[in-house]
Amino acid sequence: MPLSRLDANLAILKLLQEAVETQPDQRFGQLLWNIGVLIPGEEGGITDPYQDESTTILRRMEKRKQAL
């Protein structure tokens, strides 16, 4: 059974909370970048993740967490 959007959103919040607690000196934007919510865009910018499904963002965050 695929993960629902609600469950993915709650899991994203949990990972974000963990990041805030383990790295309290980082600014919010840094946290979003470092945990994989925000990703590089074209020409050095940031890709807006507004069209990404929550499950996609969650997978990206989990992958990033494993890489760290």
Side-chain angles (χ1 to χ4, degrees), residues 2-65:
L3 197 61
S4 72
R5 184 177 291 158
L6 174 62
D7 289 337
N9 286 342
L10 292 172
I12 289 169
L13 288 173
K14 183 177 178 183
L15 288 174
L16 182 57
Q17 181 177 359
E18 289 173 11
V20 168
E21 290 171 352
T22 59
Q23 301 171 45
D25 293 333
Q26 289 194 7
R27 296 180 307 275
F28 191 71
Q30 283 179 288
L31 289 167
L32 294 177
W33 179 267
N34 291 335
I35 63 174
V37 172
L38 300 177
I39 56 175
E42 296 180 23
E43 300 179 22
I46 295 173
T47 298
D48 187 347
Y50 76 95
Q51 288 186 338
D52 294 350
E53 266 299 335
S54 298
T55 52
T56 301
I57 294 171
L58 178 59
R59 280 194 303 272
R60 189 165 56 233
M61 290 172 69
E62 289 170 338
K63 212 172 168 182
R64 177 76 176 145
K65 186 177 177 180

